[in-house]
Amino acid sequence: MTMPLTHGEIEYYSRQLKLPEIGLHGQEKLKNAKVLCVGAGGLAAPLLLYLAAAGIGTIGIVDKDTLETSNLHRQVLYRYAQRGLSKIAVAKRELLALNPAITVELYPLDLHPDNALDLVQNYHIVADCTDNFATRYLINDVCFYARIPYLYASVQQFQGQCSLFAGHVGPCLRCLFPTPPQAGVIPRCSEAGVLGVLPGLLGTLQATEIIKWILQQGQSLHGKLLTLDALNMEFKQFNLPKNPECKLCVYRTPIKELLKSTTETIRYAISAQGLQKALQHKKNLLLIDVRDPEERDRDNPLGGRLIPLAVLANYLSDFDPNQAIVVYCHSGLRSQMAVKLFLHAGFAYVKFLQDGLIGWKKETLLT
Ligand SMILES: [Zn+2]
């Protein structure tokens, strides 16, 4: 059912109603649109404000985090005094204070394969404002099956990327990057850092593309990838063809099968914090360092038994398959491969240190 604009709304949007690309008809389209924003951090902060101010009638926000001091330099929707509060609860208050005519729906949860499709189907378009690959690929996959477009954006240090994916009518994220990178290959913002204004720029681009898509005006980023290097202020656009071998949008592989590799990675990972706790409680936890001897000579903060990955297969019979084992390396890549070797040999309690010694040193420096 289409809802017409009230007199108050006509006054509120008067400056954009003058645009021939919007007008009363376009503004009603915005009012009747439902946009789901996954993540309430740096990308979402400007995106939510601009969507609310533009008059998007229904905005859903998915996030269960609370506000931390280290969020504030880029998540400018929030205030210092609001630290410790639920981000989405604060966001709703701020958005309704900006535009009381809209509706804001909150979902304090993590998206996972069992809830994502049901949630996404209630919306017309999704904004990917997450910073983790598992959720990012899940959004891509469920939006394809729900036949809903979504705005992708990612940021790191001074660089960002943005695209509009609609796998049912064009390329999807898996056409560009078929699988998520393995843990430790691409550091998160918390490790590599990010200029605070960068998610601001990218979130604003996402909001612009969402508004244009709803209005069906202009040239969208559908089928294109926009890259931004803020340090040199370079914007580039690349055409994205559909990958004729895409497992999702061409071969229609079921979501759970696609996500299996990601889920497995998470299942066998232990964080630096988790390992610290495990070492305090489990006296029989065996640590195995699968780096090369030269790396070990340079630093050896954990003191595990050294068995380089290249020769690990020859030593598996040294261990009890019921022994709890944590394997580690420099960044978490080789140790993931080591876990596969152990699992294949029938070991039941083996994990790898996520982000490797890089993550371990950061965690131990902090505590
Ligand atoms: Zn695809």
Side-chain angles (χ1 to χ4, degrees), residues 12 91-100:
Y12 192 109
K92 180 173 182 173
R93 223 163 40 227
E94 295 296 326
L95 298 182
L96 292 178
L98 175 64
N99 188 350

Side-chain angles (χ1 to χ4, degrees), residues 206-269:
Q206 284 178 294
T208 313
E209 288 298 298
I210 287 172
I211 291 166
K212 280 166 54 193
W213 181 269
I214 294 165
L215 296 169
Q216 288 293 296
Q217 292 290 344
Q219 292 282 322
S220 87
L221 282 177
H222 182 214
K224 294 171 198 155
L225 181 72
L226 178 74
T227 63
L228 160 60
D229 173 355
L231 204 53
N232 300 304
M233 205 42 91
E234 280 180 357
F235 288 74
K236 289 182 187 157
Q237 247 190 53
F238 304 90
N239 284 328
L240 282 184
K242 201 170 176 82
N243 176 354
E245 298 195 333
C246 180
K247 282 186 173 175
L248 177 73
C249 70
V250 176
Y251 290 113
R252 301 181 66 89
T253 308
I255 291 176
K256 287 198 175 168
E257 213 172 297
L258 285 166
L259 293 173
K260 210 173 153 197
S261 59
T262 315
T263 314
E264 272 180 358
T265 301
I266 294 165
R267 191 171 144 204
Y268 295 111

Side-chain angles (χ1 to χ4, degrees), residues 171-172 174-175 246 249:
C172 77
R174 288 186 189 271
C175 291
C246 180
C249 70

Side-chain angles (χ1 to χ4, degrees), residues 79-327:
R79 300 290 165 258
Y80 189 80
Q82 293 164 335
R83 288 167 306 145
L85 299 180
S86 150
K87 282 188 192 176
I88 57 173
V90 174
K92 180 173 182 173
R93 223 163 40 227
E94 295 296 326
L95 298 182
L96 292 178
L98 175 64
N99 188 350
I102 64 164
T103 300
V104 180
E105 296 170 344
L106 302 183
Y107 305 96
L109 48 83
D110 287 326
L111 276 196
H112 54 76
D114 294 324
N115 65 10
L117 194 58
D118 281 348
L119 182 55
V120 158
Q121 277 172 336
N122 295 321
Y123 291 86
H124 300 127
I125 187 163
V126 177
D128 167 11
C129 295
T130 59
D131 65 352
N132 83 75
F133 287 101
T135 310
R136 176 153 288 172
Y137 276 75
L138 181 59
I139 292 170
N140 179 68
D141 300 348
V142 293
C143 283
F144 167 71
Y145 281 108
R147 304 176 68 80
I148 293 168
Y150 84 95
L151 259 298
Y152 156 84
S154 69
V155 290
Q156 191 183 80
Q157 295 182 331
F158 294 91
Q159 271 97 42
Q161 299 183 342
C162 185
S163 184
L164 188 153
F165 288 118
H168 56 294
V169 287
C172 77
L173 177 64
R174 288 186 189 271
C175 291
L176 178 63
F177 305 116
T179 51
Q182 288 180 300
V185 175
I186 298 183
R188 297 183 200 101
C189 284
S190 57
E191 295 152 1
V194 64
L195 179 72
V197 75
L198 200 74
L201 285 167
L202 269 295
T204 306
L205 289 173
Q206 284 178 294
T208 313
E209 288 298 298
I210 287 172
I211 291 166
K212 280 166 54 193
W213 181 269
I214 294 165
L215 296 169
Q216 288 293 296
Q217 292 290 344
Q219 292 282 322
S220 87
L221 282 177
H222 182 214
K224 294 171 198 155
L225 181 72
L226 178 74
T227 63
L228 160 60
D229 173 355
L231 204 53
N232 300 304
M233 205 42 91
E234 280 180 357
F235 288 74
K236 289 182 187 157
Q237 247 190 53
F238 304 90
N239 284 328
L240 282 184
K242 201 170 176 82
N243 176 354
E245 298 195 333
C246 180
K247 282 186 173 175
L248 177 73
C249 70
V250 176
Y251 290 113
R252 301 181 66 89
T253 308
I255 291 176
K256 287 198 175 168
E257 213 172 297
L258 285 166
L259 293 173
K260 210 173 153 197
S261 59
T262 315
T263 314
E264 272 180 358
T265 301
I266 294 165
R267 191 171 144 204
Y268 295 111
I270 184 166
S271 65
Q273 209 178 17
L275 180 59
Q276 269 186 325
K277 281 187 193 150
L279 286 172
Q280 284 162 10
H281 296 107
K282 282 189 194 162
K283 292 196 170 53
N284 62 348
L285 184 66
L286 179 67
L287 292 173
I288 299 179
D289 181 352
V290 293
R291 295 177 301 160
D292 290 331
E294 312 84 74
E295 296 172 273
R296 166 91 163 196
D297 289 344
R298 281 197 295 274
D299 67 339
N300 180 18
L302 276 167
R305 176 169 167 188
L306 178 70
I307 311 176
L309 179 65
V311 296
L312 179 64
N314 304 330
Y315 290 87
L316 295 178
S317 56
D318 284 9
F319 305 108
D320 171 4
N322 292 312
Q323 163 80 49
I325 296 173
V326 172
V327 191

Side-chain angles (χ1 to χ4, degrees), residues 27-41:
Q27 194 63 54
E28 281 175 5
K29 281 187 182 174
L30 297 175
K31 181 173 179 172
N32 288 292
K34 301 182 80 178
V35 178
L36 182 69
C37 178
V38 183

